[in-house]
Amino acid sequence: MPRIPYWNIDYGIIIDLLAIPVAIVFFYGLYRQWLLIKQGKMRVIPSIGNMIQGIGTFRLKAFLVRGILNARLYRKPASGIAHGFVFWGMVILFIGTNLVILNILFGLPVFSGGFNRWFMSFMLDLAGFLTLVGIVFFLVRRMIPPVRLRLPEARKGFVPVSGLLGLILITGFVTEGARIAAAAGSLEAGAFVGNFLASNLISPALALEIHAVTWWVHGLLSLGFVAYIPYSPLVHIVLAPVNVGFADPAPNVKMGVMDFSAFENEDAEELPALGANKLADFTRKRFLDFSSCLWCGRCQEVCPAYNTDKPLSPKGVIVTLADRLASGKLDESLIEGISMDAIFNCTTCAACMEACPVSINQPKTIMRFRQNLVMEQSRIPELMGKAVASLEQRAHPFFGTGSGAAEWRKDLDVPIFEPGQTEYLLWIGCSVAYEQRAQKIGRAMVRILQKAGTSFGILEESRCTGDPAKQMGNEFLFAEIAQQNIEDFSALGIKKIITLCPHCFNSFSRHYPKLGGEYEIIPHGSFIKILMDEKKLNLVRKDQLITYHDPCYLGRRNGIYDDPRTVIAGVGGLVEMPRHRNESFCCGGGGGNYWAEELGSRINQQRAGEAMETNADTIAVACPFCLLMLTDGLKKHTEETKIFDIAEIVAASMV
Amino acid sequence: MHIAVLAKVVPDYLVPSMDFELSNNRAHERFSRMLGLYDENAIETAIQIKEKTSGSLTLISYGSENDIQFLRKGAAMGADQLILVKGTSDDAAVIAGNLMAALQSIDNVDLVLAGQQSADMDRGVVPGILAQMLGVPFIPQIGDVDHENGSWTVTQITAQGKRELEFSGPGVLSITSIPENVPRIPAVRAIFAAKKKPVIKLESTDQKKMALNELEVAIPKIECVCEFIDVEDPGQAVRILLNRLNEERYL
Ligand code: SF4
Ligand code: SF4
């Protein structure tokens, strides 16, 4: 028997009419969300002529892949699949419900033939069933929550709304089962759940009454649910994909550069606040971040600071802000609530950002607090303060170093960059110049370049790109140093730069162009790969197992994972640590934390331990800070010297 | 409350010994120049007093015009004005005499602070000579400074412990570094504001030199002698190491 609209129901049209106020309540709820987000500041982008942007640039691909297909959720298979069941189940049920409405309004023949059997019966039953399975999974998990959901705070409101959805699904199935049972003996092809209920659980004698009641209950609950969505945690159905669409494309933590010209302007009436101290200092995009947070704690689970008992949880930061935003506390100082220690414990490794299913930029939020502490309030942990002072005074942060600027190249004949003659500037940077262990990277790279016959030269005196200042929140000092470097590069006509440090690479490629310094930048690992491809290096492949630690600023921040691995595979056998590539664990030195007294346990020891467990003969890195941090961390596990930069490994394999 | 801080711009005091070299018997010009190490502690101490007492702070230096750019850091930290006495002598009595002239050119100064010693010559005598010239007490190696009921309470810090002292009226203190006076990183607003703060330049005046001649300046030849402390327990290794360093008078 074909299905008939409002069968067994009097005045069923009331449900459809109620859809109108429900839609109004639903959209009003979304409008309230917009009003919250709209309180954020507009973004000013100085590099494109002081253009003011509401939220940002919308990226359709990210919206579809990460927002709609929820690609990142499946990294945790169980909750990813459960979420997939609920999300796609609801999408199909939503389509089915709309087809029913079209059938009522326009007689769209959806209840006949194969379409009825396979979609309206089988697919909708399957969608409802899987949604219910997903809901049960989530309800059970709310009762026995993993730490990431529980700490530092669990989101309230999921249980009632999930329970409501479960009830809607159950009443929907009961209605269907009663309808089939009332049809006395003829089951409905494809409706496997409805048929099961009709044949096993619903008495045909009572079917008509049950149907009449549950039809109304199901309809009214469904309407209530839709109206409730924007006022419940399920608002993420709308906010999360939008946030993903507006997010910077991964892999990328764009910190931008700051424009300090207003401070130079004698007539400027109001000077911009530097960084953020209260909610009102954040932009609309950050407000959208805070509102979109699922409180899922995936960020916290991968955070090196959180995992080594430091007082920082990226989830904690975002949910604190989300809470304050929801309660309208826009002008309260937040820094004390979050704690200065937490703010400076972030290594800016971007693992949280990579793990976040809704593309929230946690490091940027944390950095904005750091900027405020440093540039507005003169507050910085003591060792970081010394590094910043040293950068300001002597253009490198290695206060108290035992090395002079030229010591790394003692007894080596290293060419100085000649304008118009030299092709590449080999940028030594601060750590390679001033830290004894790291100096060997510079020496190895010089040997490699000389062997390959590359036209390269160095600056007379090594210095820093300013990256440590930027990471510690002192954007002003970064801008000053960068501008000085850019001026000097222009005078020398430098166009191509080989970097030894991913932090330098990141600064040059990402931040210098915004200050007027455009160069071709090549990290040393990638350059070695080019030399290997061009057969300019004669290497012996040794019988050695090498594991590779991905530096955050090369890997997650710039997507360079393969070149160093290709280089390593050319000189030995590559063995991976469990956490590698975009899931790699920080060495602990990022975010200026090379100059920190670590609280809790030590990140470098944990990471060095992971590297040891691979049983590799050698632990390779492609960053001087990783080299220093892990060398120190390894001391806890062994007295052997096992950690080398890829340049050192390649130089040792040259014949 | 008006506090004056004496500060000196010096060559980088952290130049590694292997890299250190002389030109014209002084640190080579290639080394970066900066505010003296303890002078920054003195400025920080003064700012904290200024903040507590709503006072004012003048930074006074004896040196070249080129030093002003480095002295501005003191202004960015919180000094209200800078006075530079232009001069090139490194005779402590000449410097003290000129600093006194600068002090006398401004209104009643309630307290004069200086770094415990300059970071280039490490002599620590100028503040003492200045106090004698001014006829006020001089107390070296001061950590905390407090002002209550018109008198100053100061804590003198030595390797052996602390001593609290009290005096009233102006005095000259030389400041040592303690965790409470770690120099602040100037806020960006303050850096820009410092560019507009007044700089008073004074010509140096003739002062009586100390009766001594510089005969020779030399830097020690650095030799590396490596010695292994061969013990299992790191705690014991540290104790032995500390003893050795004490014996050799490195500590
Ligand atoms: S960037 Fe790294 S250290 Fe900072 S909050 Fe995210 S995961 Fe934690
Ligand atoms: S920031 Fe992202 S990963 Fe962290 S709790 Fe929120 S939604 Fe989850």
Side-chain angles (χ1 to χ4, degrees):
Chain A
M1 179 185 79
R3 280 172 64 180
I4 301 163
Y6 306 134
W7 174 82
N8 189 34
I9 302 296
D10 296 331
Y11 310 111
I13 189 78
I14 292 173
I15 285 281
D16 297 315
L17 293 177
L18 278 175
I20 297 166
V22 162
I24 293 172
V25 176
F26 176 85
F27 284 110
Y28 177 70
L30 291 186
Y31 175 67
R32 277 188 10 156
Q33 288 288 339
W34 163 240
L35 290 183
L36 270 189
I37 291 161
K38 204 168 85 113
Q39 298 174 93
K41 291 202 302 196
M42 303 277 269
R43 277 196 331 160
V44 180
I45 306 176
S47 52
I48 31 183
N50 269 342
M51 188 174 134
I52 295 195
Q53 284 197 340
I55 289 187
T57 318
F58 194 77
R59 290 178 182 82
L60 193 61
K61 188 174 162 214
F63 173 75
L64 292 175
V65 176
R66 276 184 279 135
I68 302 295
L69 295 176
N70 299 310
R72 281 189 182 168
L73 273 177
Y74 297 94
R75 287 183 187 171
K76 285 195 177 296
S79 56
I81 290 170
H83 190 275
F85 281 177
V86 175
F87 179 74
W88 292 109
M90 282 176 67
V91 168
I92 292 168
L93 291 173
F94 179 74
I95 294 170
T97 309
N98 281 296
L99 289 175
V100 173
I101 294 170
L102 292 178
N103 171 271
I104 293 168
L105 292 179
F106 308 112
L108 193 73
V110 293
F111 292 128
S112 57
F115 188 78
N116 180 42
R117 178 185 184 135
W118 289 111
F119 188 79
M120 298 305 286
S121 298
F122 177 73
M123 272 307 275
L124 293 192
D125 264 26
L126 183 66
F129 179 71
L130 294 180
T131 308
L132 200 54
V133 170
I135 291 289
V136 170
F137 173 89
F138 285 123
L139 283 172
V140 170
R141 218 173 40 145
R142 288 277 150 185
M143 278 177 243
I144 329 164
V147 174
R148 67 182 169 91
L149 286 184
R150 232 177 337 115
L151 295 179
E153 215 184 319
R155 186 164 200 182
K156 294 182 190 71
F158 265 117
V159 172
V161 81
S162 309
L164 179 59
L165 182 57
L167 215 55
I168 290 167
L169 293 163
I170 291 167
T171 52
F173 280 133
V174 173
T175 308
E176 184 189 38
R179 180 170 50 74
I180 295 169
S186 67
L187 293 182
E188 194 168 295
F192 64 97
V193 182
N195 288 342
F196 174 80
L197 294 175
S199 1
N200 297 299
L201 298 174
I202 298 174
S203 127
L206 290 175
L208 277 180
E209 283 91 309
I210 293 173
H211 176 267
V213 174
T214 53
W215 190 94
W216 279 106
V217 174
H218 175 73
L220 291 170
L221 286 181
S222 302
L223 287 173
F225 174 75
V226 171
Y228 185 42
I229 286 175
Y231 306 88
S232 80
L234 284 199
V235 67
H236 76 257
I237 300 173
V238 180
L239 293 180
V242 174
N243 194 47
V244 173
F246 280 119
D248 283 332
N252 231 324
V253 188
K254 278 203 197 124
M255 279 312 299
V257 291
M258 278 189 183
D259 179 15
F260 292 93
S261 54
F263 290 87
E264 298 274 16
N265 181 358
E266 305 259 326
D267 309 320
E269 280 176 13
E270 206 188 325
L271 294 175
L274 298 171
N277 178 17
K278 49 190 187 317
L279 264 178
D281 297 330
F282 285 101
T283 60
R284 290 179 176 180
K285 175 60 182 66
R286 297 283 84 79
F287 276 26
L288 182 57
D289 270 4
F290 310 150
S291 307
S292 309
C293 178
L294 309 170
W295 301 39
C296 66
R298 290 178 185 228
C299 52
Q300 170 176 301
E301 211 172 45
V302 296
C303 172
Y306 182 82
N307 279 296
T308 47
D309 314 310
K310 301 184 188 11
L312 168 67
S313 149
K315 172 188 167 187
V317 172
I318 301 296
V319 304
T320 304
L321 296 169
D323 252 348
R324 299 282 180 103
L325 180 60
S327 48
K329 294 176 185 155
L330 260 64
D331 286 312
E332 262 178 33
S333 167
L334 281 160
I335 287 175
E336 304 315 325
I338 290 172
S339 106
M340 184 159 151
D341 278 339
I343 291 166
F344 280 100
N345 280 163
C346 174
T347 67
T348 66
C349 70
C352 49
M353 216 183 146
E354 181 68 29
C356 180
V358 293
S359 301
I360 287 171
N361 195 335
Q362 305 89 337
K364 194 159 187 172
T365 294
I366 296 168
M367 286 303 292
R368 300 269 291 135
F369 286 126
R370 209 179 265 194
Q371 289 164 355
N372 189 274
L373 281 165
V374 175
M375 291 191 292
E376 289 276 2
Q377 305 186 37
S378 296
R379 288 166 69 195
I380 187 167
E382 190 178 337
L383 283 183
M384 285 192 190
K386 284 190 174 171
V388 167
S390 179
L391 249 176
E392 188 205 320
Q393 290 163 328
R394 36 185 96 83
H396 72 77
F398 286 83
F399 59 93
T401 174
S403 307
E407 193 187 300
W408 73 272
R409 58 185 159 103
K410 197 174 59 187
D411 308 328
L412 266 187
D413 187 17
V414 188
I416 304 295
F417 189 94
E418 296 273 354
Q421 307 285 317
T422 316
E423 186 176 2
Y424 291 96
L425 169 73
L426 176 64
W427 173 262
I428 301 303
C430 57
S431 50
V432 173
Y434 295 103
E435 221 300 332
Q436 254 189 349
R437 171 65 188 93
Q439 287 172 351
K440 292 186 181 161
I441 305 175
R443 298 169 71 82
M445 195 63 196
V446 165
R447 281 182 54 209
I448 292 170
L449 294 177
Q450 282 175 335
K451 191 91 177 183
T454 307
S455 159
F456 78 100
I458 58 164
L459 296 181
E460 284 268 12
E461 191 124 314
S462 308
R463 46 181 132 156
C464 180
T465 52
D467 168 82
K470 190 175 179 77
Q471 289 191 54
M472 291 184 227
N474 198 332
E475 287 282 335
F476 178 67
L477 183 55
F478 168 77
E480 280 198 323
I481 296 173
Q483 264 146 5
Q484 184 61 53
N485 285 337
I486 290 169
E487 255 175 52
D488 296 350
F489 290 177
S490 300
L492 289 169
I494 288 166
K495 300 214 166 56
K496 298 179 183 177
I497 305 176
I498 303 168
T499 55
L500 297 173
C501 172
H503 294 271
C504 301
F505 173 74
N506 190 67
S507 271
F508 282 143
S509 55
R510 190 152 300 166
H511 307 308
Y512 275 49
K514 297 212 183 89
L515 296 165
E518 300 256 10
Y519 318 100
E520 188 186 317
I521 318 289
I522 312 163
H524 72 312
S526 302
F527 197 78
I528 295 173
K529 182 186 169 283
I530 295 171
L531 296 179
M532 282 164 69
D533 289 347
E534 291 172 351
K535 309 253 174 306
K536 289 191 173 154
L537 296 174
N538 201 358
L539 302 176
V540 255
R541 198 167 179 284
K542 293 183 188 162
D543 185 18
Q544 55 174 342
L545 267 189
I546 306 173
T547 190
Y548 172 66
H549 162 81
D550 285 277
C552 305
Y553 273 64
L554 201 58
R556 262 191 302 270
R557 291 219 172 213
N558 289 289
I560 299 173
Y561 300 111
D562 294 329
D563 290 355
R565 285 183 165 77
T566 312
V567 170
I568 288 165
V571 291
L574 176 68
V575 49
E576 294 286 7
M577 284 183 251
R579 294 194 263 194
H580 61 278
R581 297 181 73 96
N582 59 345
E583 286 173 9
S584 177
F585 195 64
C586 182
C587 70
N593 278 281
Y594 177 80
W595 293 274
E597 301 268 12
E598 268 197 69
L599 304 167
S601 54
R602 297 186 57 115
I603 298 173
N604 59 352
Q605 291 178 349
Q606 207 179 100
R607 184 59 172 165
E610 279 175 36
M612 277 291 285
E613 278 165 22
T614 60
N615 288 324
D617 307 296
T618 302
I619 301 161
V621 293
C623 168
F625 286 96
C626 295
L627 178 80
L628 297 169
M629 292 299 292
L630 294 182
T631 301
D632 181 51
L634 197 72
K635 286 184 192 143
K636 184 174 181 223
H637 306 279
T638 175
E639 283 178 9
E640 271 180 84
T641 308
K642 280 177 130 230
I643 303 185
F644 298 94
D645 186 86
I646 44 174
E648 293 179 274
I649 298 171
V650 169
S653 304
M654 284 190 314
V655 281
Chain B
M1 182 72 56
H2 187 179
I3 299 164
V5 178
L6 314 178
K8 185 177 182 191
V9 174
V10 296
D12 186 352
Y13 43 81
L14 289 182
V15 172
S17 39
M18 300 286 251
D19 198 35
F20 192 72
E21 61 177 316
L22 296 173
S23 68
N24 297 326
N25 278 350
R26 294 292 177 266
H28 199 284
E29 307 78 51
R30 75 177 168 88
F31 301 127
S32 317
R33 292 180 68 74
M34 55 195 67
L35 272 178
L37 174 67
Y38 293 107
D39 297 347
E40 288 200 16
N41 296 115
I43 296 170
E44 178 61 39
T45 308
I47 295 162
Q48 290 175 14
I49 304 170
K50 175 186 148 173
E51 283 169 350
K52 267 192 230 154
T53 60
S54 318
S56 61
L57 171 57
T58 301
L59 195 64
I60 305 177
S61 187
Y62 173 85
S64 77
E65 284 211 46
N66 196 32
D67 292 349
I68 292 174
Q69 55 182 307
F70 306 105
L71 293 170
R72 292 247 188 236
K73 181 176 181 193
M77 285 170 74
D80 301 289
Q81 61 172 347
L82 308 176
I83 302 181
L84 174 80
V85 188
K86 293 190 277 179
T88 52
S89 171
D90 60 18
D91 182 290
V94 173
I95 297 170
N98 277 295
L99 291 174
M100 184 173 75
L103 276 169
Q104 284 165 343
S105 75
I106 49 176
D107 282 344
N108 304 333
V109 171
D110 299 281
L111 188 68
V112 180
L113 305 185
Q116 165 184 309
Q117 65 209 51
S118 66
D120 52 350
M121 307 299 260
D122 282 341
R123 293 180 298 207
V125 291
V126 170
I129 299 174
L130 173 70
Q132 198 181 22
M133 288 175 172
L134 290 168
V136 298
F138 166 61
I139 323 176
Q141 307 253 94
I142 297 302
D144 293 323
V145 182
D146 251 323
H147 187 251
E148 247 173 73
N149 306 327
S151 66
W152 297 100
T153 316
V154 298
T155 311
Q156 193 171 41
I157 306 212
T158 63
Q160 275 68 37
K162 291 180 179 182
R163 190 163 73 122
E164 233 175 62
L165 298 157
E166 191 193 35
F167 68 98
S168 51
V172 178
L173 311 177
S174 76
I175 302 291
T176 191
S177 84
I178 56 166
E180 288 74 25
N181 66 13
V182 171
R184 64 191 64 191
I185 303 285
V188 168
R189 256 163 245 273
I191 294 172
F192 282 95
K195 293 183 184 169
K196 295 179 200 147
K197 288 187 179 169
V199 182
I200 302 163
K201 294 177 208 162
L202 304 176
E203 296 301 328
S204 56
T205 52
D206 281 344
Q207 303 286 336
K208 199 163 169 246
K209 287 177 72 172
M210 289 162 83
L212 52 89
N213 292 318
E214 186 175 278
L215 299 181
E216 193 202 344
V217 176
I219 47 176
K221 228 173 102 203
I222 308 288
E223 275 174 50
C224 278
V225 186
C226 192
E227 185 182 325
F228 283 96
I229 300 177
D230 197 12
V231 276
E232 296 266 299
D233 168 30
Q236 197 193 352
V238 169
R239 276 190 295 279
I240 295 175
L241 181 64
L242 278 174
N243 274 342
R244 284 299 309 276
L245 290 172
N246 259 323
E247 275 165 25
E248 302 284 338
R249 305 196 71 83
Y250 288 115
L251 292 179

